[in-house]
Structures are given as structure tokens and as C-alpha cells.
Amino acid sequence: PEFHTKDYIYPVGFKSEKKIEVEEELKTFRSEILEKEGKPLFVVTIMEYPFHRFESVSPSTAWNEAVQKQRISSQLSGEQHY
């Protein structure tokens, strides 16, 4: 199934990567949309530290947890990262 809101679509299986500078080093943040129990599951993984994986039913929560872990600020909402 495909998931969506009024403003965003969330295709299951979608993946994207974004490089963000953290403490003068580029880190790769991978965003994925999975399905869990019939609902979308938003996952952000910091690829240099694959055990730093953040999951939520909300894209903003997954991204906020990831950027807080790396102590960086982000000007985009979680939805805009996917």
C-alpha cells in the first residue's frame, strides 16, 4: 500500500541519502519508508554508525532524533527530508 497525507506521499520502499556536515565531517543520513503492521515506518540511519538507527511512525520524530543524536540543527521538517 501507498501512504499519503494531504501534502506528502510516502511510498513504501523509498530510500534517499543526504550528506550533512557534523563536526567538520560529512555524514550520510539515509531515510527509508518501510511498512510495519499496515502503517508507514520512517527510518533514519546514520550510515557511518549503522547502529544509530531511528524509527518512528512520524517522519519528523525520526529525523529529530537523528539530528539531536549528532547535535546538529536542521532547517527542514522531517517530511521534507523524505
Side-chain angles (χ1 to χ4, degrees):
E2 299 299 321
F3 301 102
H4 60 87
T5 67
K6 181 177 87 100
D7 298 314
Y8 299 100
I9 59 170
Y10 301 117
V12 171
F14 176 82
K15 291 182 186 179
S16 66
E17 291 186 351
K18 179 177 292 220
K19 293 194 180 293
I20 299 175
E21 188 172 339
V22 179
E23 298 176 355
E24 300 182 13
E25 183 179 336
L26 283 178
K27 306 269 190 213
T28 304
F29 288 69
R30 177 181 288 165
S31 302
E32 299 177 77
I33 302 172
L34 306 176
E35 181 180 353
K36 183 175 181 180
E37 298 175 1
K39 298 179 183 174
L41 179 68
F42 300 92
V43 180
V44 178
T45 305
I46 302 168
M47 299 307 293
E48 290 76 11
Y49 308 103
F51 52 90
H52 288 180
R53 179 179 163 116
F54 306 90
E55 299 180 356
S56 178
V57 295
S58 159
S60 290
T61 300
W63 261 96
N64 287 338
E65 289 177 0
V67 297
Q68 286 175 0
K69 178 73 175 178
Q70 293 296 303
R71 297 185 194 105
I72 60 176
S73 63
S74 174
Q75 301 299 318
L76 297 176
S77 70
E79 289 86 353
Q80 293 169 320
H81 284 291
Y82 284 88

